[in-house]
Amino acid sequence: MGTKEIHLAYTGITDALDGGELKTAFERIQNLIFGVQLLSWQNRLNELQNTYRYLLHYYAEGSRDPAREQIYADIRTGAYELTDRIRHQAQSSDTGMRQFRSWMFLNLHPVEVADLVKRLPSQYEKDEPACFETLTEQLFENVWKTDFLSGDDTASLRRALTDERYPATARCQIVSALLLGLQISFDREKLNLLFDAAAAEDMEVRIRALIAVCLTLYRYRQRTMYYPGIRHRLDTLAEAPDFGRIMQTIILRFILSRETEKVTHKIQEEILPEMMKLKFTSKGERFGMLSDFSGDEMNPEWKDLAADNNVTKKLEEYARLQEEGLDVLHSTFIHLKNFGFFSELSNWFLPFTLRHSCFGTGEISGNVGLETLLQASFVCNSDKYSLFLSLHRLPETHRKQMMQQMDGQLSAMNKQQLQELKSRHNQVESITSQYIQDLYRFYKLFPRHTEFEDVFNWTLDFHLLPALQPYLSGAETMLDIAGAYLRKGYYTDAQTLYDQLIEREAQDEMLYQKAGYCRQMTGDWEGALASYLRSELLNPDSPWLLRRLGDCCRLLKRPEEALAFYRRYERLSPDTVSVLICMGHCCLEMKNRTEALKYYFKADYLQPETPKIWRAIAWSSFLNGTCDQALHYYGKLLKHQPQMPDFLNAGHTEWALQHIQNALTCYRSAVQAEDGGFDRFHAQFRQDIPDLVHAGIDPAEIPMLLDQLRYLLQEENSIY
């Protein structure tokens, strides 16, 4: 079997195990064993099958075995792990996989993990960055490239991760290596090591480990349910008073990561072109980070911007996106990942340090202003390295000039501004945001990122994972997560959480409103109406709610009910033009054209010179038989950016008044305004034939006028 066949077989087995079809899974494992000729695993498969047969036998006999659930879980996890082992051994002997691993294993005889773990602290204490970095890279490679850690490796890594005196940078890199390795193949020992790291006192190590735990549990969300040790480890971590807050922060930050591509596109296509109008002259300002740090005094070059409302709005929008915690710098640094530094996989996860050997001992590493800037929480570690490496490429003169300017600007900041720069978010939010952004850049920009499954293509709804749900089920936490989904337009995700909350708090009208809004935004008008009606029972006098109830009924073709809700809204909030228009539409749908005109005229009085209202008055007047009045309003419309239906309906009105030539002129304009030509015009025309007949047009005249229109269009070399 080749790589593709092995992968398909592996997927088939795990799918069967995920679905609880153990017999099918065993049969597929048997086929895999024969297919790759690894008969040494046959005994283990036989053990699992025999145990399962005994369990089923006793179950069928009606025996009550309190240990049955645990035995079943052991069989299932054993089958998963057996499949992992077979795949690992089969791929190791496959030519295609060896080619893949050739770039992974830079050293054919890697140093022992235990030896690397032991040597690292002494190199760190000697203040020899290059040696320490080399050992850390080797440790990273050995950890993530090893599918299954040995007992000695596990013990060494556990000592390092649980020793608060061990270099934090190395511990962080071990965590990232464990995460990366677990994304390729499951190893319960690696997961246990992540749990060890998640209990660390060092917040950087702890949060990175919790993020890695979340991603691993999501990656293996089916099988991890059958490891009781996971629940025990999570229960232990949950004893920390800030565990829930950290987990909530992680989830919210992953939700925001969904927005990164949209934000990048917005910045590159909309905001940046406008910001370029600012005509920055400083070399340093091209990084887009210094414009907010010069006190209250505006740049003289900006004086003419006060009148440029569009530029101002774009600047405000950029600031708002950054304030919301969105990844606004991805677009800035996306093209600054081509340095040799980033060819080393481990460097994508490396915590930022000015001690790194790639910076040398020049002016850059000693500039106080830049060091201060790089403490800003919104700049992730990867981008900090990009910034420094970019500075190194500048000519010395420009670099000195830039350093002096940065230092001068930042030293002029008062203490309050400096504190805001360093602590825009608290420590938990800052570390979480930066590490998730580092991960995002790796999975999107690493030169060989396509050889890794992109975790950011997953839904990452951690709050729905059975393993994590008990720790995220507090009402406040669920409301915060649901609110984040709602604000960003992920209505289905938000609705799921609001429905769960409703099951607990059946008397909370706001939950019904939000659930209804989510359904409305996904096109489920029946469901939205049901949710809104439940909310109305609890709060019958909410104008917002009454408006949505009316809208739902209108869209469901229930104009009588819609009108009743709109009238209730009108009593609470009179003279709302948009509601008056909706009330007119309801009356029109109910064939009550005279009443519809009353609402439209009132709307026209309150908000004159509105084409939308003219359009409604004109059509209602035509249907009501007052064609002179209709023609008056169509005349106003045709002078004010007319649309294709305006020409069409004006033609109907002229025809009803027996102004045949005028009708043909309007119809000809309608065809010319319609991209689809005569056919599209004709399709819309046919829909109006009953209204034309009602207006007094002889049905026999309709094909005659249409033929005359065809001749006129042909003479004008129309597209027809």
Side-chain angles (χ1 to χ4, degrees), residues 355-383:
R355 294 181 60 193
H356 201 281
S357 60
C358 69
F359 300 145
T361 57
E363 295 180 21
I364 291 180
S365 59
N367 183 268
V368 176
L370 190 55
E371 290 180 32
T372 303
L373 174 61
L374 292 177
Q375 292 182 52
S377 61
F378 54 83
V379 187
C380 69
N381 298 283
S382 176
D383 289 351

PDB file of all heavy atoms in Angstrom, residues 355-383:
ATOM      1  N   ARG A 355      17.624  38.980  22.987  1.00  0.00           N
ATOM      2  CA  ARG A 355      18.890  38.256  23.114  1.00  0.00           C
ATOM      3  C   ARG A 355      19.177  37.362  21.914  1.00  0.00           C
ATOM      4  O   ARG A 355      20.240  36.763  21.830  1.00  0.00           O
ATOM      5  CB  ARG A 355      18.869  37.382  24.381  1.00  0.00           C
ATOM      6  CG  ARG A 355      18.810  38.150  25.691  1.00  0.00           C
ATOM      7  CD  ARG A 355      18.824  37.184  26.856  1.00  0.00           C
ATOM      8  NE  ARG A 355      20.025  36.360  26.859  1.00  0.00           N
ATOM      9  CZ  ARG A 355      20.200  35.276  27.610  1.00  0.00           C
ATOM     10  NH1 ARG A 355      19.227  34.873  28.419  1.00  0.00           N
ATOM     11  NH2 ARG A 355      21.328  34.584  27.559  1.00  0.00           N
ATOM     12  N   HIS A 356      18.220  37.266  21.002  1.00  0.00           N
ATOM     13  CA  HIS A 356      18.408  36.328  19.894  1.00  0.00           C
ATOM     14  C   HIS A 356      19.628  36.722  19.067  1.00  0.00           C
ATOM     15  O   HIS A 356      19.860  37.894  18.767  1.00  0.00           O
ATOM     16  CB  HIS A 356      17.171  36.275  19.006  1.00  0.00           C
ATOM     17  CG  HIS A 356      17.108  35.028  18.185  1.00  0.00           C
ATOM     18  ND1 HIS A 356      17.851  34.864  17.030  1.00  0.00           N
ATOM     19  CD2 HIS A 356      16.417  33.872  18.357  1.00  0.00           C
ATOM     20  CE1 HIS A 356      17.603  33.663  16.525  1.00  0.00           C
ATOM     21  NE2 HIS A 356      16.732  33.042  17.307  1.00  0.00           N
ATOM     22  N   SER A 357      20.384  35.730  18.680  1.00  0.00           N
ATOM     23  CA  SER A 357      21.657  35.970  17.987  1.00  0.00           C
ATOM     24  C   SER A 357      21.489  36.649  16.630  1.00  0.00           C
ATOM     25  O   SER A 357      22.419  37.285  16.135  1.00  0.00           O
ATOM     26  CB  SER A 357      22.412  34.650  17.804  1.00  0.00           C
ATOM     27  OG  SER A 357      21.635  33.740  17.029  1.00  0.00           O
ATOM     28  N   CYS A 358      20.316  36.528  16.031  1.00  0.00           N
ATOM     29  CA  CYS A 358      20.136  37.125  14.703  1.00  0.00           C
ATOM     30  C   CYS A 358      20.154  38.653  14.764  1.00  0.00           C
ATOM     31  O   CYS A 358      20.291  39.316  13.735  1.00  0.00           O
ATOM     32  CB  CYS A 358      18.844  36.644  14.056  1.00  0.00           C
ATOM     33  SG  CYS A 358      17.344  37.251  14.833  1.00  0.00           S
ATOM     34  N   PHE A 359      20.013  39.224  15.968  1.00  0.00           N
ATOM     35  CA  PHE A 359      20.009  40.676  16.096  1.00  0.00           C
ATOM     36  C   PHE A 359      21.404  41.239  16.351  1.00  0.00           C
ATOM     37  O   PHE A 359      21.600  42.438  16.253  1.00  0.00           O
ATOM     38  CB  PHE A 359      19.089  41.121  17.247  1.00  0.00           C
ATOM     39  CG  PHE A 359      17.665  40.696  17.067  1.00  0.00           C
ATOM     40  CD1 PHE A 359      16.887  40.342  18.152  1.00  0.00           C
ATOM     41  CD2 PHE A 359      17.093  40.642  15.806  1.00  0.00           C
ATOM     42  CE1 PHE A 359      15.579  39.946  17.989  1.00  0.00           C
ATOM     43  CE2 PHE A 359      15.784  40.244  15.629  1.00  0.00           C
ATOM     44  CZ  PHE A 359      15.019  39.895  16.724  1.00  0.00           C
ATOM     45  N   GLY A 360      22.327  40.390  16.741  1.00  0.00           N
ATOM     46  CA  GLY A 360      23.669  40.873  17.032  1.00  0.00           C
ATOM     47  C   GLY A 360      23.665  41.783  18.246  1.00  0.00           C
ATOM     48  O   GLY A 360      22.829  41.674  19.142  1.00  0.00           O
ATOM     49  N   THR A 361      24.589  42.730  18.256  1.00  0.00           N
ATOM     50  CA  THR A 361      24.704  43.650  19.393  1.00  0.00           C
ATOM     51  C   THR A 361      24.676  45.096  18.931  1.00  0.00           C
ATOM     52  O   THR A 361      25.192  45.979  19.586  1.00  0.00           O
ATOM     53  CB  THR A 361      26.019  43.399  20.160  1.00  0.00           C
ATOM     54  OG1 THR A 361      27.119  43.539  19.237  1.00  0.00           O
ATOM     55  CG2 THR A 361      26.033  42.018  20.766  1.00  0.00           C
ATOM     56  N   GLY A 362      24.069  45.323  17.789  1.00  0.00           N
ATOM     57  CA  GLY A 362      24.050  46.670  17.233  1.00  0.00           C
ATOM     58  C   GLY A 362      23.066  47.587  17.923  1.00  0.00           C
ATOM     59  O   GLY A 362      22.496  47.280  18.967  1.00  0.00           O
ATOM     60  N   GLU A 363      22.836  48.734  17.257  1.00  0.00           N
ATOM     61  CA  GLU A 363      22.008  49.766  17.856  1.00  0.00           C
ATOM     62  C   GLU A 363      20.569  49.323  18.022  1.00  0.00           C
ATOM     63  O   GLU A 363      19.871  49.779  18.914  1.00  0.00           O
ATOM     64  CB  GLU A 363      22.042  51.020  16.990  1.00  0.00           C
ATOM     65  CG  GLU A 363      23.413  51.674  16.920  1.00  0.00           C
ATOM     66  CD  GLU A 363      23.389  52.916  16.044  1.00  0.00           C
ATOM     67  OE1 GLU A 363      22.291  53.471  15.834  1.00  0.00           O
ATOM     68  OE2 GLU A 363      24.457  53.322  15.578  1.00  0.00           O
ATOM     69  N   ILE A 364      20.112  48.454  17.162  1.00  0.00           N
ATOM     70  CA  ILE A 364      18.708  48.066  17.208  1.00  0.00           C
ATOM     71  C   ILE A 364      18.373  47.414  18.535  1.00  0.00           C
ATOM     72  O   ILE A 364      17.388  47.744  19.181  1.00  0.00           O
ATOM     73  CB  ILE A 364      18.376  47.109  16.039  1.00  0.00           C
ATOM     74  CG1 ILE A 364      18.436  47.888  14.731  1.00  0.00           C
ATOM     75  CG2 ILE A 364      17.011  46.488  16.218  1.00  0.00           C
ATOM     76  CD1 ILE A 364      18.126  47.070  13.517  1.00  0.00           C
ATOM     77  N   SER A 365      19.202  46.475  18.955  1.00  0.00           N
ATOM     78  CA  SER A 365      18.894  45.742  20.172  1.00  0.00           C
ATOM     79  C   SER A 365      19.056  46.597  21.420  1.00  0.00           C
ATOM     80  O   SER A 365      18.646  46.208  22.491  1.00  0.00           O
ATOM     81  CB  SER A 365      19.792  44.498  20.280  1.00  0.00           C
ATOM     82  OG  SER A 365      21.150  44.882  20.286  1.00  0.00           O
ATOM     83  N   GLY A 366      19.643  47.785  21.291  1.00  0.00           N
ATOM     84  CA  GLY A 366      19.820  48.625  22.461  1.00  0.00           C
ATOM     85  C   GLY A 366      18.949  49.860  22.453  1.00  0.00           C
ATOM     86  O   GLY A 366      19.103  50.728  23.305  1.00  0.00           O
ATOM     87  N   ASN A 367      18.025  49.979  21.521  1.00  0.00           N
ATOM     88  CA  ASN A 367      17.187  51.164  21.423  1.00  0.00           C
ATOM     89  C   ASN A 367      16.017  51.072  22.391  1.00  0.00           C
ATOM     90  O   ASN A 367      15.167  50.203  22.269  1.00  0.00           O
ATOM     91  CB  ASN A 367      16.672  51.311  19.987  1.00  0.00           C
ATOM     92  CG  ASN A 367      15.840  52.575  19.819  1.00  0.00           C
ATOM     93  OD1 ASN A 367      14.634  52.524  19.972  1.00  0.00           O
ATOM     94  ND2 ASN A 367      16.496  53.686  19.539  1.00  0.00           N
ATOM     95  N   VAL A 368      15.971  51.975  23.348  1.00  0.00           N
ATOM     96  CA  VAL A 368      14.938  51.928  24.381  1.00  0.00           C
ATOM     97  C   VAL A 368      13.554  52.149  23.792  1.00  0.00           C
ATOM     98  O   VAL A 368      12.584  51.491  24.158  1.00  0.00           O
ATOM     99  CB  VAL A 368      15.227  52.977  25.474  1.00  0.00           C
ATOM    100  CG1 VAL A 368      14.115  53.006  26.510  1.00  0.00           C
ATOM    101  CG2 VAL A 368      16.575  52.702  26.126  1.00  0.00           C
ATOM    102  N   GLY A 369      13.464  53.084  22.837  1.00  0.00           N
ATOM    103  CA  GLY A 369      12.160  53.383  22.261  1.00  0.00           C
ATOM    104  C   GLY A 369      11.547  52.194  21.565  1.00  0.00           C
ATOM    105  O   GLY A 369      10.371  51.878  21.750  1.00  0.00           O
ATOM    106  N   LEU A 370      12.336  51.503  20.767  1.00  0.00           N
ATOM    107  CA  LEU A 370      11.808  50.358  20.044  1.00  0.00           C
ATOM    108  C   LEU A 370      11.486  49.212  20.993  1.00  0.00           C
ATOM    109  O   LEU A 370      10.498  48.498  20.813  1.00  0.00           O
ATOM    110  CB  LEU A 370      12.803  49.899  18.990  1.00  0.00           C
ATOM    111  CG  LEU A 370      12.284  48.859  17.996  1.00  0.00           C
ATOM    112  CD1 LEU A 370      11.032  49.354  17.305  1.00  0.00           C
ATOM    113  CD2 LEU A 370      13.344  48.535  16.965  1.00  0.00           C
ATOM    114  N   GLU A 371      12.314  49.036  22.002  1.00  0.00           N
ATOM    115  CA  GLU A 371      12.015  47.996  22.996  1.00  0.00           C
ATOM    116  C   GLU A 371      10.665  48.273  23.649  1.00  0.00           C
ATOM    117  O   GLU A 371       9.878  47.357  23.893  1.00  0.00           O
ATOM    118  CB  GLU A 371      13.118  47.944  24.056  1.00  0.00           C
ATOM    119  CG  GLU A 371      14.447  47.397  23.557  1.00  0.00           C
ATOM    120  CD  GLU A 371      15.495  47.366  24.657  1.00  0.00           C
ATOM    121  OE1 GLU A 371      15.113  47.162  25.819  1.00  0.00           O
ATOM    122  OE2 GLU A 371      16.681  47.548  24.353  1.00  0.00           O
ATOM    123  N   THR A 372      10.402  49.526  23.947  1.00  0.00           N
ATOM    124  CA  THR A 372       9.126  49.891  24.556  1.00  0.00           C
ATOM    125  C   THR A 372       7.970  49.609  23.608  1.00  0.00           C
ATOM    126  O   THR A 372       6.941  49.048  23.990  1.00  0.00           O
ATOM    127  CB  THR A 372       9.134  51.380  24.935  1.00  0.00           C
ATOM    128  OG1 THR A 372      10.229  51.631  25.813  1.00  0.00           O
ATOM    129  CG2 THR A 372       7.835  51.770  25.621  1.00  0.00           C
ATOM    130  N   LEU A 373       8.147  49.999  22.345  1.00  0.00           N
ATOM    131  CA  LEU A 373       7.100  49.764  21.350  1.00  0.00           C
ATOM    132  C   LEU A 373       6.771  48.291  21.230  1.00  0.00           C
ATOM    133  O   LEU A 373       5.610  47.899  21.123  1.00  0.00           O
ATOM    134  CB  LEU A 373       7.547  50.314  19.997  1.00  0.00           C
ATOM    135  CG  LEU A 373       6.621  50.037  18.801  1.00  0.00           C
ATOM    136  CD1 LEU A 373       5.258  50.655  19.033  1.00  0.00           C
ATOM    137  CD2 LEU A 373       7.240  50.568  17.524  1.00  0.00           C
ATOM    138  N   LEU A 374       7.796  47.455  21.282  1.00  0.00           N
ATOM    139  CA  LEU A 374       7.581  46.033  21.070  1.00  0.00           C
ATOM    140  C   LEU A 374       6.983  45.337  22.274  1.00  0.00           C
ATOM    141  O   LEU A 374       6.722  44.145  22.241  1.00  0.00           O
ATOM    142  CB  LEU A 374       8.898  45.364  20.661  1.00  0.00           C
ATOM    143  CG  LEU A 374       9.384  45.788  19.267  1.00  0.00           C
ATOM    144  CD1 LEU A 374      10.715  45.156  18.953  1.00  0.00           C
ATOM    145  CD2 LEU A 374       8.361  45.426  18.213  1.00  0.00           C
ATOM    146  N   GLN A 375       6.754  46.080  23.352  1.00  0.00           N
ATOM    147  CA  GLN A 375       6.005  45.521  24.468  1.00  0.00           C
ATOM    148  C   GLN A 375       4.500  45.648  24.252  1.00  0.00           C
ATOM    149  O   GLN A 375       3.714  45.128  25.032  1.00  0.00           O
ATOM    150  CB  GLN A 375       6.401  46.220  25.770  1.00  0.00           C
ATOM    151  CG  GLN A 375       7.820  45.919  26.213  1.00  0.00           C
ATOM    152  CD  GLN A 375       8.147  46.582  27.532  1.00  0.00           C
ATOM    153  OE1 GLN A 375       7.424  46.447  28.511  1.00  0.00           O
ATOM    154  NE2 GLN A 375       9.249  47.315  27.560  1.00  0.00           N
ATOM    155  N   ALA A 376       4.111  46.346  23.199  1.00  0.00           N
ATOM    156  CA  ALA A 376       2.691  46.506  22.899  1.00  0.00           C
ATOM    157  C   ALA A 376       2.053  45.145  22.666  1.00  0.00           C
ATOM    158  O   ALA A 376       2.573  44.312  21.930  1.00  0.00           O
ATOM    159  CB  ALA A 376       2.518  47.388  21.659  1.00  0.00           C
ATOM    160  N   SER A 377       0.904  44.931  23.282  1.00  0.00           N
ATOM    161  CA  SER A 377       0.286  43.602  23.247  1.00  0.00           C
ATOM    162  C   SER A 377      -0.240  43.219  21.879  1.00  0.00           C
ATOM    163  O   SER A 377      -0.445  42.046  21.593  1.00  0.00           O
ATOM    164  CB  SER A 377      -0.864  43.550  24.261  1.00  0.00           C
ATOM    165  OG  SER A 377      -1.856  44.512  23.930  1.00  0.00           O
ATOM    166  N   PHE A 378      -0.490  44.208  21.009  1.00  0.00           N
ATOM    167  CA  PHE A 378      -1.096  43.884  19.718  1.00  0.00           C
ATOM    168  C   PHE A 378      -0.077  43.429  18.681  1.00  0.00           C
ATOM    169  O   PHE A 378      -0.434  43.117  17.553  1.00  0.00           O
ATOM    170  CB  PHE A 378      -1.888  45.085  19.181  1.00  0.00           C
ATOM    171  CG  PHE A 378      -1.104  46.366  19.105  1.00  0.00           C
ATOM    172  CD1 PHE A 378      -0.286  46.635  18.030  1.00  0.00           C
ATOM    173  CD2 PHE A 378      -1.197  47.293  20.127  1.00  0.00           C
ATOM    174  CE1 PHE A 378       0.439  47.807  17.963  1.00  0.00           C
ATOM    175  CE2 PHE A 378      -0.474  48.481  20.069  1.00  0.00           C
ATOM    176  CZ  PHE A 378       0.342  48.741  18.985  1.00  0.00           C
ATOM    177  N   VAL A 379       1.217  43.407  19.030  1.00  0.00           N
ATOM    178  CA  VAL A 379       2.245  42.925  18.106  1.00  0.00           C
ATOM    179  C   VAL A 379       2.676  41.536  18.549  1.00  0.00           C
ATOM    180  O   VAL A 379       3.252  41.371  19.619  1.00  0.00           O
ATOM    181  CB  VAL A 379       3.471  43.866  18.073  1.00  0.00           C
ATOM    182  CG1 VAL A 379       4.442  43.427  16.980  1.00  0.00           C
ATOM    183  CG2 VAL A 379       3.050  45.309  17.870  1.00  0.00           C
ATOM    184  N   CYS A 380       2.403  40.523  17.744  1.00  0.00           N
ATOM    185  CA  CYS A 380       2.734  39.152  18.139  1.00  0.00           C
ATOM    186  C   CYS A 380       4.233  38.906  17.984  1.00  0.00           C
ATOM    187  O   CYS A 380       4.962  39.696  17.369  1.00  0.00           O
ATOM    188  CB  CYS A 380       1.932  38.140  17.320  1.00  0.00           C
ATOM    189  SG  CYS A 380       2.389  38.047  15.572  1.00  0.00           S
ATOM    190  N   ASN A 381       4.713  37.805  18.542  1.00  0.00           N
ATOM    191  CA  ASN A 381       6.143  37.500  18.533  1.00  0.00           C
ATOM    192  C   ASN A 381       6.702  37.412  17.118  1.00  0.00           C
ATOM    193  O   ASN A 381       7.766  37.956  16.813  1.00  0.00           O
ATOM    194  CB  ASN A 381       6.385  36.173  19.263  1.00  0.00           C
ATOM    195  CG  ASN A 381       5.970  36.241  20.705  1.00  0.00           C
ATOM    196  OD1 ASN A 381       6.655  36.791  21.545  1.00  0.00           O
ATOM    197  ND2 ASN A 381       4.810  35.669  21.015  1.00  0.00           N
ATOM    198  N   SER A 382       5.989  36.728  16.251  1.00  0.00           N
ATOM    199  CA  SER A 382       6.456  36.565  14.873  1.00  0.00           C
ATOM    200  C   SER A 382       6.640  37.907  14.184  1.00  0.00           C
ATOM    201  O   SER A 382       7.617  38.129  13.466  1.00  0.00           O
ATOM    202  CB  SER A 382       5.454  35.700  14.101  1.00  0.00           C
ATOM    203  OG  SER A 382       5.808  35.589  12.748  1.00  0.00           O
ATOM    204  N   ASP A 383       5.697  38.832  14.401  1.00  0.00           N
ATOM    205  CA  ASP A 383       5.783  40.139  13.764  1.00  0.00           C
ATOM    206  C   ASP A 383       6.899  40.987  14.366  1.00  0.00           C
ATOM    207  O   ASP A 383       7.495  41.830  13.685  1.00  0.00           O
ATOM    208  CB  ASP A 383       4.449  40.873  13.878  1.00  0.00           C
ATOM    209  CG  ASP A 383       3.378  40.259  12.997  1.00  0.00           C
ATOM    210  OD1 ASP A 383       3.723  39.380  12.178  1.00  0.00           O
ATOM    211  OD2 ASP A 383       2.202  40.635  13.126  1.00  0.00           O
TER     212      ASP A 383
END
